[in-house]
Amino acid sequence: MPARSVLLCLAADLAPGSARRVEHSDGPAIAVYNVDGTFYATDDNCTHGLSSLAEGMLDGDMIECAAHFGGFDVKTGKAVMAPCSMDLRTYKVELRDGAVFAVLPD
Ligand code: FES
């Protein structure tokens, strides 16, 4: 059975250095990031206080949460700046015909 996936955005619609929150019916909201032309996806809710990470500041491959300025590596989901200490779930990203998809876990 093929893996389930969620359409996140068109690649052309998310500029390098930007992030976007995507709601979907199959699980928690996902944040998609464009890091120098490569797309990454994580859960959007910060593990510290559930703030939307897509509303934070993407600095290279780190997303800084707008609420208390904790940070995560968007490539690995690792919490890299206090007060965040619990890692984020990451999603495999696929590009198909100019669109960016997150592959959901089974
Ligand atoms: S809610 Fe993100 S650092 Fe507190």
Side-chain angles (χ1 to χ4, degrees):
M1 189 167 129
R4 294 170 303 145
S5 59
V6 173
L7 173 63
L8 299 175
C9 64
L10 295 178
D13 286 350
L14 190 66
S18 312
R20 180 180 299 175
R21 176 181 172 95
V22 179
E23 305 270 358
H24 66 101
S25 58
D26 247 343
I30 295 175
V32 55
Y33 313 90
N34 181 338
V35 178
D36 297 329
T38 303
F39 294 87
Y40 298 93
T42 70
D43 277 344
D44 185 53
N45 290 334
C46 179
T47 59
H48 177 248
L50 301 183
S51 221
S52 169
L53 290 171
E55 292 176 11
M57 163 100 76
L58 185 60
D59 181 9
D61 56 12
M62 190 189 81
I63 186 72
E64 183 181 270
C65 182
H68 312 107
F69 311 112
F72 300 89
D73 182 323
V74 302
K75 296 180 177 177
T76 63
K78 193 152 189 46
V80 293
M81 199 155 63
C84 301
S85 58
M86 195 185 312
D87 297 343
L88 279 175
R89 173 169 38 191
T90 58
Y91 297 86
K92 182 175 175 219
V93 169
E94 291 180 352
L95 272 172
R96 291 183 231 145
D97 298 327
V100 183
F101 292 84
V103 178
L104 300 180
D106 290 329

